[in-house]
mmCIF file of all heavy atoms in Angstrom:
data_model
loop_
_atom_site.group_PDB
_atom_site.id
_atom_site.type_symbol
_atom_site.label_atom_id
_atom_site.label_comp_id
_atom_site.label_asym_id
_atom_site.label_seq_id
_atom_site.Cartn_x
_atom_site.Cartn_y
_atom_site.Cartn_z
ATOM 1 N N GLU A 77 -107.248 256.065 127.806
ATOM 2 C CA GLU A 77 -106.178 255.884 126.810
ATOM 3 C C GLU A 77 -106.682 256.186 125.388
ATOM 4 O O GLU A 77 -107.782 255.766 125.035
ATOM 5 C CB GLU A 77 -105.649 254.444 126.864
ATOM 6 C CG GLU A 77 -105.154 254.003 128.240
ATOM 7 C CD GLU A 77 -104.528 252.617 128.222
ATOM 8 O OE1 GLU A 77 -104.197 252.126 127.118
ATOM 9 O OE2 GLU A 77 -104.386 252.030 129.309
ATOM 10 N N GLY A 124 -104.242 247.471 122.929
ATOM 11 C CA GLY A 124 -105.514 247.272 122.216
ATOM 12 C C GLY A 124 -106.594 248.276 122.550
ATOM 13 O O GLY A 124 -107.172 248.905 121.650
ATOM 14 N N LEU A 125 -106.867 248.452 123.836
ATOM 15 C CA LEU A 125 -107.940 249.342 124.278
ATOM 16 C C LEU A 125 -107.704 250.777 123.814
ATOM 17 O O LEU A 125 -108.597 251.438 123.297
ATOM 18 C CB LEU A 125 -108.052 249.305 125.796
ATOM 19 C CG LEU A 125 -108.921 250.312 126.497
ATOM 20 C CD1 LEU A 125 -109.673 249.648 127.652
ATOM 21 C CD2 LEU A 125 -108.131 251.503 127.043
ATOM 22 N N LEU A 128 -107.919 251.076 119.926
ATOM 23 C CA LEU A 128 -109.322 250.951 119.503
ATOM 24 C C LEU A 128 -110.016 252.296 119.631
ATOM 25 O O LEU A 128 -110.717 252.749 118.718
ATOM 26 C CB LEU A 128 -110.053 249.909 120.361
ATOM 27 C CG LEU A 128 -111.486 249.614 119.954
ATOM 28 C CD1 LEU A 128 -111.524 248.587 118.815
ATOM 29 C CD2 LEU A 128 -112.323 249.116 121.138
ATOM 30 N N ASN A 267 -99.350 249.587 132.529
ATOM 31 C CA ASN A 267 -99.735 248.188 132.595
ATOM 32 C C ASN A 267 -101.040 248.015 131.841
ATOM 33 O O ASN A 267 -101.944 248.803 131.964
ATOM 34 C CB ASN A 267 -99.925 247.663 134.009
ATOM 35 C CG ASN A 267 -100.128 248.770 134.947
ATOM 36 O OD1 ASN A 267 -99.172 249.513 135.168
ATOM 37 N ND2 ASN A 267 -101.325 249.002 135.403
ATOM 38 N N ASP A 268 -101.058 246.913 131.057
ATOM 39 C CA ASP A 268 -102.243 246.827 130.201
ATOM 40 C C ASP A 268 -103.116 245.642 130.548
ATOM 41 O O ASP A 268 -103.973 245.258 129.836
ATOM 42 C CB ASP A 268 -101.815 246.851 128.740
ATOM 43 C CG ASP A 268 -101.857 245.502 128.139
ATOM 44 O OD1 ASP A 268 -101.409 244.575 128.814
ATOM 45 O OD2 ASP A 268 -102.385 245.389 127.053
ATOM 46 N N ALA A 269 -102.937 245.022 131.584
ATOM 47 C CA ALA A 269 -103.912 244.006 131.943
ATOM 48 C C ALA A 269 -103.752 243.597 133.397
ATOM 49 O O ALA A 269 -104.154 242.544 133.803
ATOM 50 C CB ALA A 269 -103.770 242.819 131.024
ATOM 51 N N THR A 270 -103.112 244.460 134.145
ATOM 52 C CA THR A 270 -102.992 244.150 135.576
ATOM 53 C C THR A 270 -103.226 245.444 136.327
ATOM 54 O O THR A 270 -102.528 246.418 136.097
ATOM 55 C CB THR A 270 -101.552 243.666 135.870
ATOM 56 O OG1 THR A 270 -101.195 242.776 134.798
ATOM 57 C CG2 THR A 270 -101.483 242.948 137.207
ATOM 58 N N GLU A 271 -104.262 245.471 137.167
ATOM 59 C CA GLU A 271 -104.526 246.723 137.870
ATOM 60 C C GLU A 271 -103.427 246.965 138.891
ATOM 61 O O GLU A 271 -102.846 246.022 139.416
ATOM 62 C CB GLU A 271 -105.909 246.685 138.519
ATOM 63 C CG GLU A 271 -105.987 245.833 139.761
ATOM 64 C CD GLU A 271 -107.143 246.281 140.665
ATOM 65 O OE1 GLU A 271 -107.435 247.487 140.702
ATOM 66 O OE2 GLU A 271 -107.726 245.414 141.303
ATOM 67 N N ARG A 277 -103.587 256.572 140.382
ATOM 68 C CA ARG A 277 -104.339 256.058 139.222
ATOM 69 C C ARG A 277 -105.811 256.426 139.372
ATOM 70 O O ARG A 277 -106.464 256.891 138.427
ATOM 71 C CB ARG A 277 -104.146 254.551 139.151
ATOM 72 C CG ARG A 277 -105.075 253.793 138.212
ATOM 73 C CD ARG A 277 -104.650 253.784 136.768
ATOM 74 N NE ARG A 277 -105.512 252.865 136.007
ATOM 75 C CZ ARG A 277 -105.441 252.698 134.685
ATOM 76 N NH1 ARG A 277 -104.611 253.411 133.977
ATOM 77 N NH2 ARG A 277 -106.230 251.850 134.078
ATOM 78 N N ASP A 317 -113.982 250.430 129.184
ATOM 79 C CA ASP A 317 -113.600 249.580 130.294
ATOM 80 C C ASP A 317 -113.862 250.264 131.635
ATOM 81 O O ASP A 317 -114.527 251.299 131.680
ATOM 82 C CB ASP A 317 -112.161 249.095 130.177
ATOM 83 C CG ASP A 317 -112.052 247.670 130.724
ATOM 84 O OD1 ASP A 317 -111.935 247.515 131.953
ATOM 85 O OD2 ASP A 317 -112.181 246.725 129.950
ATOM 86 N N HIS A 319 -111.965 251.890 133.653
ATOM 87 C CA HIS A 319 -111.126 253.030 134.034
ATOM 88 C C HIS A 319 -111.925 254.329 134.220
ATOM 89 O O HIS A 319 -111.610 255.125 135.082
ATOM 90 C CB HIS A 319 -110.005 253.206 133.015
ATOM 91 C CG HIS A 319 -109.360 251.906 132.648
ATOM 92 N ND1 HIS A 319 -108.777 251.698 131.421
ATOM 93 C CD2 HIS A 319 -109.276 250.719 133.299
ATOM 94 C CE1 HIS A 319 -108.335 250.452 131.342
ATOM 95 N NE2 HIS A 319 -108.618 249.831 132.470
ATOM 96 N N HIS A 355 -113.331 244.907 128.126
ATOM 97 C CA HIS A 355 -112.297 244.487 127.162
ATOM 98 C C HIS A 355 -111.472 243.310 127.642
ATOM 99 O O HIS A 355 -110.500 242.916 126.982
ATOM 100 C CB HIS A 355 -111.357 245.652 126.872
ATOM 101 C CG HIS A 355 -111.989 246.825 126.213
ATOM 102 N ND1 HIS A 355 -111.971 247.038 124.859
ATOM 103 C CD2 HIS A 355 -112.682 247.857 126.739
ATOM 104 C CE1 HIS A 355 -112.604 248.161 124.578
ATOM 105 N NE2 HIS A 355 -113.049 248.674 125.699
ATOM 106 N N THR A 356 -111.782 242.778 128.816
ATOM 107 C CA THR A 356 -110.963 241.658 129.270
ATOM 108 C C THR A 356 -111.670 240.884 130.376
ATOM 109 O O THR A 356 -112.461 241.459 131.120
ATOM 110 C CB THR A 356 -109.602 242.157 129.805
ATOM 111 O OG1 THR A 356 -108.831 241.040 130.215
ATOM 112 C CG2 THR A 356 -109.777 243.115 130.970
ATOM 113 N N ALA A 361 -107.160 242.131 135.803
ATOM 114 C CA ALA A 361 -107.349 243.406 135.093
ATOM 115 C C ALA A 361 -108.647 244.099 135.507
ATOM 116 O O ALA A 361 -108.887 245.249 135.161
ATOM 117 C CB ALA A 361 -107.366 243.165 133.596
ATOM 118 N N GLU A 363 -110.737 246.103 137.786
ATOM 119 C CA GLU A 363 -110.391 247.020 138.871
ATOM 120 C C GLU A 363 -111.368 246.902 140.040
ATOM 121 O O GLU A 363 -112.572 246.988 139.852
ATOM 122 C CB GLU A 363 -110.366 248.452 138.359
ATOM 123 C CG GLU A 363 -109.278 248.706 137.333
ATOM 124 C CD GLU A 363 -109.258 250.146 136.882
ATOM 125 O OE1 GLU A 363 -110.304 250.596 136.368
ATOM 126 O OE2 GLU A 363 -108.250 250.829 137.093
ATOM 127 N N VAL A 493 -116.360 242.777 123.182
ATOM 128 C CA VAL A 493 -115.725 243.304 121.970
ATOM 129 C C VAL A 493 -115.504 242.272 120.864
ATOM 130 O O VAL A 493 -114.846 242.576 119.857
ATOM 131 C CB VAL A 493 -114.405 243.969 122.363
ATOM 132 C CG1 VAL A 493 -114.657 245.254 123.150
ATOM 133 C CG2 VAL A 493 -113.475 243.027 123.119
ATOM 134 N N ASN A 522 -115.061 244.332 117.627
ATOM 135 C CA ASN A 522 -114.131 245.418 117.336
ATOM 136 C C ASN A 522 -113.923 245.600 115.830
ATOM 137 O O ASN A 522 -114.246 244.732 115.006
ATOM 138 C CB ASN A 522 -112.763 245.128 117.984
ATOM 139 C CG ASN A 522 -112.722 245.436 119.452
ATOM 140 O OD1 ASN A 522 -111.822 244.995 120.231
ATOM 141 N ND2 ASN A 522 -113.691 246.218 119.934
ATOM 142 N N TYR A 612 -100.794 235.162 128.581
ATOM 143 C CA TYR A 612 -101.984 234.605 127.906
ATOM 144 C C TYR A 612 -101.884 234.736 126.395
ATOM 145 O O TYR A 612 -102.502 233.977 125.642
ATOM 146 C CB TYR A 612 -103.277 235.252 128.451
ATOM 147 C CG TYR A 612 -103.697 236.561 127.826
ATOM 148 C CD1 TYR A 612 -104.354 236.586 126.593
ATOM 149 C CD2 TYR A 612 -103.473 237.770 128.488
ATOM 150 C CE1 TYR A 612 -104.757 237.782 126.018
ATOM 151 C CE2 TYR A 612 -103.871 238.974 127.932
ATOM 152 C CZ TYR A 612 -104.520 238.972 126.691
ATOM 153 O OH TYR A 612 -104.924 240.179 126.142
ATOM 154 N N LYS A 613 -101.025 235.668 125.903
ATOM 155 C CA LYS A 613 -100.860 235.835 124.442
ATOM 156 C C LYS A 613 -99.852 234.819 123.898
ATOM 157 O O LYS A 613 -99.695 234.651 122.702
ATOM 158 C CB LYS A 613 -100.447 237.267 124.156
ATOM 159 C CG LYS A 613 -101.515 238.317 124.483
ATOM 160 C CD LYS A 613 -100.980 239.732 124.329
ATOM 161 C CE LYS A 613 -101.976 240.799 124.771
ATOM 162 N NZ LYS A 613 -103.053 241.071 123.810
ATOM 163 N N GLU A 714 -108.171 236.092 124.973
ATOM 164 C CA GLU A 714 -108.023 237.338 124.208
ATOM 165 C C GLU A 714 -109.424 237.836 123.857
ATOM 166 O O GLU A 714 -110.125 237.208 123.051
ATOM 167 C CB GLU A 714 -107.215 237.103 122.927
ATOM 168 C CG GLU A 714 -106.854 238.366 122.162
ATOM 169 C CD GLU A 714 -105.821 239.209 122.896
ATOM 170 O OE1 GLU A 714 -104.599 238.957 122.728
ATOM 171 O OE2 GLU A 714 -106.242 240.076 123.684
ATOM 172 N N ALA A 715 -109.857 238.911 124.447
ATOM 173 C CA ALA A 715 -111.231 239.381 124.255
ATOM 174 C C ALA A 715 -111.566 239.480 122.769
ATOM 175 O O ALA A 715 -112.561 238.937 122.298
ATOM 176 C CB ALA A 715 -111.426 240.737 124.940
ATOM 177 N N SER A 716 -110.694 240.118 122.028
ATOM 178 C CA SER A 716 -110.924 240.242 120.582
ATOM 179 C C SER A 716 -109.609 240.170 119.819
ATOM 180 O O SER A 716 -109.404 239.288 118.988
ATOM 181 C CB SER A 716 -111.606 241.582 120.265
ATOM 182 O OG SER A 716 -111.488 241.877 118.882
ATOM 183 N N GLY A 717 -108.721 241.117 120.158
ATOM 184 C CA GLY A 717 -107.544 241.317 119.296
ATOM 185 C C GLY A 717 -107.965 242.288 118.201
ATOM 186 O O GLY A 717 -109.112 242.245 117.748
ATOM 187 N N THR A 718 -107.056 243.162 117.792
ATOM 188 C CA THR A 718 -107.349 244.059 116.670
ATOM 189 C C THR A 718 -106.215 244.032 115.646
ATOM 190 O O THR A 718 -106.423 244.274 114.467
ATOM 191 C CB THR A 718 -107.560 245.511 117.198
ATOM 192 O OG1 THR A 718 -106.547 245.792 118.156
ATOM 193 C CG2 THR A 718 -108.927 245.683 117.787
HETATM 194 C C1 26W B 901 -106.012 248.379 135.151
HETATM 195 C C2 26W B 901 -104.986 248.105 134.139
HETATM 196 C C3 26W B 901 -105.563 247.776 132.803
HETATM 197 C C4 26W B 901 -105.219 248.558 131.698
HETATM 198 C C5 26W B 901 -105.741 248.237 130.444
HETATM 199 C C6 26W B 901 -106.594 247.168 130.345
HETATM 200 C C7 26W B 901 -107.177 246.888 128.988
HETATM 201 C C8 26W B 901 -108.574 246.458 129.081
HETATM 202 C C9 26W B 901 -106.416 245.843 128.325
HETATM 203 C C10 26W B 901 -106.675 245.843 126.846
HETATM 204 O O1 26W B 901 -106.117 246.616 126.138
HETATM 205 N N1 26W B 901 -107.528 244.905 126.426
HETATM 206 C C11 26W B 901 -107.584 244.630 125.018
HETATM 207 O O2 26W B 901 -108.615 245.427 124.445
HETATM 208 C C12 26W B 901 -108.657 245.245 123.033
HETATM 209 C C13 26W B 901 -109.689 246.216 122.470
HETATM 210 O O3 26W B 901 -110.957 245.788 122.783
HETATM 211 C C14 26W B 901 -108.965 243.806 122.661
HETATM 212 O O4 26W B 901 -108.928 243.657 121.272
HETATM 213 C C15 26W B 901 -107.960 242.862 123.316
HETATM 214 O O5 26W B 901 -108.331 241.522 123.098
HETATM 215 C C16 26W B 901 -107.880 243.144 124.802
HETATM 216 O O6 26W B 901 -106.847 242.386 125.428
HETATM 217 C C17 26W B 901 -106.961 246.400 131.409
HETATM 218 C C18 26W B 901 -106.424 246.715 132.669
#
Side-chain angles (χ1 to χ4, degrees):
E77 304 185 16
L125 170 140
L128 184 83
N267 20 291
D268 103 317
T270 317
E271 75 156 327
R277 167 83 172 176
D317 215 277
H319 315 152
H355 296 264
T356 181
E363 295 182 301
V493 290
N522 281 163
Y612 85 79
K613 294 173 185 283
E714 188 70 86
S716 163
T718 44

